Amino acid sequence: QQQSFLAASPLALDAMSLLRPSARRLAAALGGPRPFAAAGVGAGSLALLSSPAVAPAGLPMAAGAMRLQARGFVRPSGALLGPKMDAARRIEDARAAGGKPDISVVTTARDEAEKELGISAWNIWEKEVSTFEWFFAGTEITYILEGEATVTPNGDWSGCQAVSFRAGDLVTFPAGMTATWVIKAPIKKHLSFPWGKPLAK
């Protein structure tokens, strides 16, 4: 089952068309966004209707409302500097070496995250209180703006620790991880895939 989203009047869009020319070149070098079905929900935002690239075939996905605002593009790993990126770099290195690293949670003031990482240029993802399964197609760095959730790795990743996070946390999820999300208070977060989505199908 494909990922479900709320929207009206579906329109086929290519994510690459949302980017500036320089960003399109960067995205193409990183593997590029994939086409998806979408509908406009306001200036600078999209409600995705289906995204078959989100998870491998056979993995159950969430039903319910989910909203993604397309606001920026992934940064190349060479541009990610500063101590707040140390955990993300270690996770990506371990994942690339074939390991199964734990999720990292680092409490970070919003102004610090903005100064070091430029989070306001990242996409925004929102989800209501719910429980669902998820697959991370790339190492994802997330800054939690609102809400609270617990993510429990499962399947081949069941040996990794469950984590809880809330507004003000900088969270890194390793590429390839499968996990169960339990959202306890509606989540709003900035997110970025600095190394792209190498496991997207």
Side-chain angles (χ1 to χ4, degrees), residues 4 9 24 26 31-32 77-78 88 96 106 109 113 137 180 199:
S4 299
S9 302
R24 284 198 294 272
L26 173 60
S77 57
V106 180
T180 301
L199 303 179

Side-chain angles (χ1 to χ4, degrees), residues 158-186:
S158 58
C160 295
Q161 293 204 7
V163 298
S164 295
F165 45 83
R166 62 188 66 197
D169 285 335
L170 184 70
V171 188
T172 304
F173 303 98
M177 175 174 280
T178 56
T180 301
W181 279 72
V182 177
I183 297 182
K184 303 172 183 178

Side-chain angles (χ1 to χ4, degrees), residues 10-29:
L11 173 66
L13 293 177
D14 186 331
M16 196 73 83
S17 69
L18 300 172
L19 305 178
R20 295 188 296 272
S22 59
R24 284 198 294 272
R25 290 193 295 272
L26 173 60

